[in-house]
Amino acid sequence: MDRYGERMVEVVPTAPVVASPVELSPVAVAPSNWLASLPTELLIIIFSHLDPTSLRRIALVCKSWYRLTCDNIVWRQIFRVRFPLVGETFTSVIRTAFWRQELICRETLIKTWYRGRATRRTYTLAQALGQVSDCYADFLRDRFVAFDANSGRLAECRMASGHGVSAESCSIPGGTTAYSTGRHFFLFGRWDGAIFGSLVDHKNILLNGLHQFQPDKHSSMVTAAHVCPGELGKPGYVGAFTGDQQGNVFGWDLREGKCLVKVAVNSSAIVKISSDGRSNLVVLSANGDLNHVTGSFQRRSQTTKICTFLTTPSVNQANSVSINMLVDYGGGNVVLFDDLKLEIYSFVGSRHVLQLQPGEQIFRASLEENQHRYQKKDDKLVGGDPLFMAVLLRSGTVLVVNVRETEYHVIPATRFVPQMVGQLPPDDTLPPVCAVTLNALVILVGSRDGRVEMYDIVTGDFCRKVSERVGKRILANSIGRAESIPVSRILIDEKLAAGVVVLGPIVQFFKFGDFYKELENGRGGRKSYSKEKKRSVDEVQTRIDDYEYQRDQRDREYDMFIKYNGEGAGDDPEEEQLELALALSASIQDR
């Protein structure tokens, strides 16, 4: 007996029993044996049906699958099976050369954009601004900054809720002829050549006051201004450029207000200026010359090189002021467009033309909402590292164009007509679609009645409704009347499924999926039952609205098909038959 009262049993060792091969069960076979024996073609088909979570964990199953996850060519084939409609050239979501990472991230974002839970918040800035001329959304810090060029006022608030609205007056200098706004700086140029600037939203300071830069630099009227993108540069670096009527361009240190670089482009007035703030400067003159200035824009090194790669562009030669300019610094391309033409010029001198159909006119164009335009093109990345641009026509048609196309005639990768175009009455004052933006996956278009819809960038198919109807009370408090407002601006996050829609002084924040939980729950506080209940009710109502919207679209398409092409072709409803009978009766009586 042991100390716990159990009886001790003596075990006598015996010879081990060896089972014959016939007695082995199939369950006892190591799983890696039959997994390793599966052909790669079959594994590709299996992996193409897995969700992103399973794709992340398949490397832990066995050694053969782990080795398979390291094969980039195999994952390229899996990507093609999973996304058969995506062509050879497409924008990588995370700018990677590994197809497995691109597949997982793309699948996750597509699921979030297309089927993620929708949350929307609508608020107004009418008490601070009369109109939003320019705006900036910081999705990471949950801050939204809007600027009104007419009144010179600036408003800042929490982007997700609109709380904490604070407004300041920028006091635009009298006689301003050119201005530019950046994330952290405002720049103004006057008719007498004076330059003024002010810090914006920097270190919790909304406006730091208006200061005049180093005087006596421009000897003529300032005709163009540009604030370089990104964060505020260090002292000694050029953060903004201004051009005057005599063809001179000056680079300014925004922190100290000193001139660091002077470039005499030509004797014609400067119309457009654009720079990446590093080593590239693109200048468009009134005579049509397009100049590319390269160099190190620093205090110690002011060596610059001017290269005029275009003289008198064919885009609106009569009036260069109406030319719009977008620059792709990573690919070395400049996009010039007006109402009738769109041309792409590379830094090396080649020219590419977008072919429009007869009668089509360009209304607006927008590059992808990411940092790809500022990053050097890398052909080794997944998809070839293109840069797409959405071209919005006055008819409402949307074209998707690759700015880094090498052919002379640029053929749109996608061409579609939004559903809202056929639902709006004709209007000669404003096109049916007045705002457009895009990223690597989706295209968002905004109509003149305040609606925003999302479409697939590859196929142009309708995905979902983005915005919600603005209430009459907000409209009355903002513009004094309960009528729809055109969408003026759409901003979307580069990494997450979220964005901001601007309609005059009204701002609507939207997000899809379960992101920004810390913004919904506050600063770590406990959830209120009433707020949680209201959020659930709003979610249910939002899903009902999306379902009804899509159902109405399908019913309308089905009715049109039945009426003109289906079984009901030639058969009129009862009301139409009654109207037809009354018309025939009246015609007989008249005789």
Side-chain angles (χ1 to χ4, degrees):
M1 302 290 291
D2 60 358
R3 60 175 180 174
Y4 297 104
E6 298 291 340
R7 185 175 180 179
M8 301 294 293
V9 179
E10 182 179 1
V11 179
V12 180
T14 59
V17 180
V18 180
S20 61
V22 182
E23 298 177 355
L24 290 176
S25 174
V27 182
V29 180
S32 59
N33 295 335
W34 64 271
L35 289 177
S37 62
L38 290 178
T40 305
E41 294 77 7
L42 182 58
L43 291 176
I44 291 175
I45 298 176
I46 295 174
F47 291 167
S48 63
H49 295 280
L50 298 180
D51 58 282
T53 304
S54 301
L55 290 174
R56 292 189 183 97
R57 299 174 179 175
I58 59 176
L60 306 176
V61 175
C62 61
K63 293 182 179 180
S64 61
W65 285 16
Y66 174 77
R67 290 191 295 267
L68 189 62
T69 57
C70 301
D71 193 339
N72 204 27
I73 299 178
V74 172
W75 281 101
R76 183 180 183 274
Q77 299 177 3
I78 297 174
F79 183 91
R80 292 302 179 189
V81 174
R82 194 64 171 266
F83 302 101
L85 300 179
V86 177
E88 294 293 333
T89 303
F90 60 92
T91 303
S92 175
V93 175
I94 55 176
R95 289 186 61 84
T96 180
F98 300 100
W99 289 88
R100 177 174 177 266
Q101 297 179 6
E102 176 67 21
L103 172 62
I104 294 174
C105 294
R106 179 175 288 264
E107 184 72 20
T108 303
L109 283 177
I110 287 178
K111 181 180 179 181
T112 305
W113 274 106
Y114 291 5
R115 300 183 296 274
R117 179 177 61 91
T119 302
R120 303 178 180 92
R121 299 289 185 271
T122 304
Y123 51 91
T124 178
L125 302 175
Q127 297 180 356
L129 303 178
Q131 187 73 21
V132 176
S133 302
D134 203 350
C135 58
Y136 303 94
D138 192 340
F139 294 90
L140 182 61
R141 299 167 55 200
D142 186 28
R143 305 186 74 176
F144 181 78
V145 180
F147 173 67
D148 186 1
N150 297 325
S151 62
R153 294 183 63 83
L154 186 74
E156 185 263 346
C157 64
R158 295 188 63 181
M159 179 183 57
S161 60
H163 296 163
V165 178
S166 58
E168 296 288 342
S169 179
C170 191
S171 301
I172 296 179
T176 297
T177 55
Y179 79 95
S180 177
T181 60
R183 179 177 292 273
H184 295 295
F185 204 86
F186 282 176
L187 189 68
F188 303 95
R190 299 200 311 183
W191 62 273
D192 58 353
I195 304 297
F196 295 84
S198 175
L199 286 173
V200 180
D201 191 24
H202 180 65
K203 292 183 179 180
N204 297 326
I205 300 176
L206 189 59
L207 275 175
N208 198 22
L210 197 65
H211 303 281
Q212 184 176 1
F213 284 8
Q214 186 178 356
D216 301 332
K217 286 298 178 182
H218 285 288
S219 58
S220 60
M221 181 179 65
V222 179
T223 56
H226 174 74
V227 177
C228 299
E231 299 296 331
L232 195 63
K234 299 179 180 180
Y237 288 81
V238 175
F241 291 90
T242 56
D244 56 24
Q245 199 171 11
Q246 296 180 355
N248 298 319
V249 177
F250 293 91
W252 300 92
D253 181 359
L254 298 182
R255 290 186 177 272
E256 298 181 357
K258 297 180 180 180
C259 179
L260 302 181
V261 178
K262 178 181 179 181
V263 181
V265 179
N266 51 31
S267 59
S268 181
I270 305 300
V271 178
K272 305 287 184 181
I273 300 178
S274 180
S275 175
D276 59 353
R278 300 173 184 174
S279 59
N280 294 285
L281 174 66
V282 180
V283 181
L284 178 64
S285 303
N287 61 357
D289 291 345
L290 189 61
N291 300 274
H292 177 217
V293 183
T294 59
S296 180
F297 304 135
Q298 301 180 19
R299 178 180 301 172
R300 298 179 180 178
S301 177
Q302 298 185 11
T303 303
T304 57
K305 178 181 178 181
I306 304 177
C307 178
T308 303
F309 58 90
L310 176 62
T311 303
T312 61
S314 59
V315 177
N316 200 349
Q317 299 181 12
N319 187 10
S320 299
V321 180
S322 61
I323 297 178
N324 299 278
M325 183 173 70
L326 299 174
V327 183
D328 169 28
Y329 300 100
N333 300 288
V334 181
V335 182
L336 300 178
F337 67 94
D338 57 8
D339 294 342
L340 302 177
K341 293 183 179 180
L342 187 146
E343 298 175 349
I344 304 173
Y345 298 88
S346 65
F347 290 168
V348 297
S350 60
R351 175 168 169 256
H352 317 281
V353 180
L354 174 63
Q355 295 293 329
L356 298 177
Q357 297 180 3
E360 292 183 338
Q361 292 184 354
I362 300 175
F363 176 68
R364 191 163 294 171
S366 175
L367 292 174
E368 292 184 33
E369 289 285 349
N370 48 42
Q371 297 296 321
H372 295 179
R373 74 184 76 174
Y374 304 108
Q375 300 174 356
K376 186 174 179 59
K377 181 182 178 182
D378 188 359
D379 297 332
K380 297 180 180 179
L381 297 181
V382 171
D385 197 16
L387 182 67
F388 287 102
M389 177 180 62
V391 181
L392 180 60
L393 305 181
R394 288 192 173 273
S395 61
T397 304
V398 180
L399 309 179
V400 181
V401 178
N402 182 14
V403 174
R404 298 174 180 176
E405 182 64 53
T406 58
E407 300 294 334
Y408 175 77
H409 292 289
V410 179
I411 300 176
T414 308
R415 183 188 183 100
F416 67 94
V417 179
Q419 296 180 0
M420 60 180 67
V421 175
Q423 303 172 2
L424 294 173
D427 189 358
D428 298 334
T429 59
L430 192 64
V433 181
C434 51
V436 63
T437 188
L438 74 161
N439 60 10
L441 300 176
V442 296
I443 302 176
L444 275 66
V445 294
S447 66
R448 64 167 178 258
D449 64 348
R451 287 182 292 172
V452 178
E453 296 177 347
M454 184 174 67
Y455 293 84
D456 186 87
I457 191 174
V458 178
T459 62
D461 296 336
F462 173 80
C463 299
R464 68 187 301 175
K465 182 179 64 173
V466 175
S467 65
E468 64 180 0
R469 186 181 300 275
V470 181
K472 296 182 179 179
R473 181 178 300 178
I474 297 180
L475 290 172
N477 295 334
S478 302
I479 61 176
R481 57 187 185 278
E483 62 182 27
S484 60
I485 306 177
V487 178
S488 58
R489 190 79 178 272
I490 306 175
L491 302 175
I492 55 178
D493 192 5
E494 179 181 356
K495 299 180 179 179
L496 302 180
V500 174
V501 179
V502 180
L503 310 93
I506 301 175
V507 179
Q508 185 172 117
F509 170 81
F510 67 88
K511 67 181 181 66
F512 303 122
D514 297 329
F515 300 106
Y516 301 97
K517 289 185 178 180
E518 67 279 0
L519 302 182
E520 297 180 0
N521 302 335
R523 299 182 179 179
R526 298 182 60 184
K527 296 182 180 180
S528 174
Y529 175 77
S530 58
K531 292 183 179 180
E532 187 68 22
K533 182 178 179 180
K534 184 179 183 301
R535 187 179 296 110
S536 302
V537 173
D538 294 341
E539 178 185 351
V540 173
Q541 186 62 38
T542 300
R543 294 189 178 185
I544 292 176
D545 294 340
D546 292 342
Y547 171 75
E548 293 179 350
Y549 184 83
Q550 298 179 8
R551 185 190 60 185
D552 294 341
Q553 295 293 332
R554 291 194 299 267
D555 293 345
R556 187 179 293 106
E557 294 176 358
Y558 179 76
D559 293 341
M560 296 295 292
F561 177 81
I562 291 298
K563 183 176 181 180
Y564 296 104
N565 300 314
E567 299 176 355
D571 299 335
D572 298 328
E574 296 181 357
E575 296 182 357
E576 295 184 1
Q577 293 180 3
L578 181 59
E579 293 178 359
L580 181 61
L582 293 175
L584 292 176
S585 178
S587 176
I588 295 175
Q589 293 178 1
D590 292 339
R591 293 180 181 178

